[in-house]
Amino acid sequence: MNERVVLRFPLLRRLEHWVMVIAFVTLACTGLPQKYPEAGISLWFFRLIGGIEVSRQIHHVAAVVLILVTLVHLGSVGYDLFVLGKRPSIWFSRRDLSNALKALLYNLGLRRERPKQGWFTFEEKLEYWALIWGTLVMIVTGFFLWNPILASSIFPGDWIPAAKIAHGSEAVLAVLAVLVWHTYHVHLKHFNKSIFTGRLTEEELREEHPLYLERGPEPRRVPEMQRQKRRLWFGVGYAVLAVLWLAGTYWFVTAEATARAAPPPIPELAHEVVYQTPVPTPVPTPAMAAAGGQTPTWQEVGPWLRAQCGYCHAGRHGFGGLDVTRREGVLQGGVHGPSVIPGRPGASPLWFWPQREDHPLHPDQDGLVLLWQWIAHGAP
Ligand code: HEC
């Protein structure tokens, strides 16, 4: 080593890192609010960018960028390994295990010196492989979420919710890893700028990668003649991979419209939906059928209604404009129209509305039987 600086990251690596940073931050910012949609900050974010729908679309674009940069990375790594014959220096060796142990002891104050590490430290290797693994998990589970119907026609349906949990959990894990592991090791411990400048000084090398300084750069192993040939083979292989990858990506994003198109918004007036959806128990229960003989009249129903519902639905100013203290008031109904359709209890709000979950009072079964009978007999 006679130069004072060495090239650590060629331009392509630095560009990959930038693209990765942008894609990662975008994915996290648009994805986490979807995982925690009720959090205040999520709502604030959705309002800021114009809704959850916009968030999803940006998330999808960033996902495609991530898939594509993965292809680029595979190509450049493949070139280094296959054409240039470089050693996979980012791969683990036995030494990393002992280095990890030594680092642990050092951090606990049980060892005086930090372990000597090579071109990539075990911390860097762990992070790199966590990124690779995480990206794989996100791409696969993301496919499930993007194309749920297609995915469930190939795999068991349970895999969709499982993929959703894995996708969200891996996201949290990845963000925490970046905030803790990455921030500490490359920003706090010592601000390592090599991924931006591409260079490391000799001093930094001595500090972080002393073993590399001792051993020096690895010799070129593939002679130029052979490299020509390998380049050709690599070009063909990579072209095939790239075509498959791009076709797969296209299929990924277009196979199914389900996740791309948002479901229609729930109408402002949820009540209207309720009128159309099947009512809770539109058929008489056995108790109602058993009580079939007698015909209740307003004489019985009126007092019951007044007692049960009068507290909130009395007079012109009753909730929902409903007045249950007079038979006419009940027939006339409230803001949503008649509450009784004589002869059709199942379709009468007076019978089903108070059974709704969001209605503050749920009448007892006997009362419901009474109401059902009364309406069924024409609300006399
Ligand atoms: C504690 C208060 C309370 C009681 C008691 C109560 N309700 Fe209600 N009810 C409400 C409120 C609040 C609404 C919703 C009003 C709105 O949507 O504007 C409502 C709405 C309704 C509606 C829909 C009216 C419309 O057209 O919008 C019906 C029908 C109804 N109640 C029936 C009943 C019946 C029958 C009982 C007695 C078994 C009853 N309620 C008891 C509070 C009450």
Side-chain angles (χ1 to χ4, degrees), residues 124-204:
E124 290 161 347
K125 292 181 182 182
L126 272 182
E127 191 175 334
Y128 176 79
W129 289 106
L131 173 72
I132 298 288
W133 162 249
T135 304
L136 255 175
V137 169
M138 292 317 244
I139 292 178
V140 172
T141 54
F143 180 84
F144 275 71
L145 302 181
W146 201 316
N147 305 287
I149 297 176
L150 178 69
S152 60
S153 70
I154 306 173
F155 303 100
D158 300 358
W159 288 25
I160 312 284
K164 185 161 180 245
I165 294 171
H167 201 82
S169 308
E170 172 63 38
V172 173
L173 186 69
V175 169
L176 289 180
V178 167
L179 287 182
V180 177
W181 191 264
H182 190 73
T183 305
Y184 173 70
H185 285 292
V186 298
H187 296 287
L188 294 182
K189 197 167 90 182
H190 139 226
F191 194 1
N192 186 337
K193 298 187 228 29
S194 59
I195 197 69
F196 306 117
T197 63
R199 280 154 216 294
L200 270 184
T201 64
E202 202 173 323
E203 198 193 322
E204 287 172 311

Side-chain angles (χ1 to χ4, degrees), residues 327-346:
R327 180 169 170 270
E328 295 72 42
V330 171
L331 288 178
Q332 202 183 344
V335 293
H336 291 106
S339 73
V340 165
I341 301 169
R344 296 183 54 205

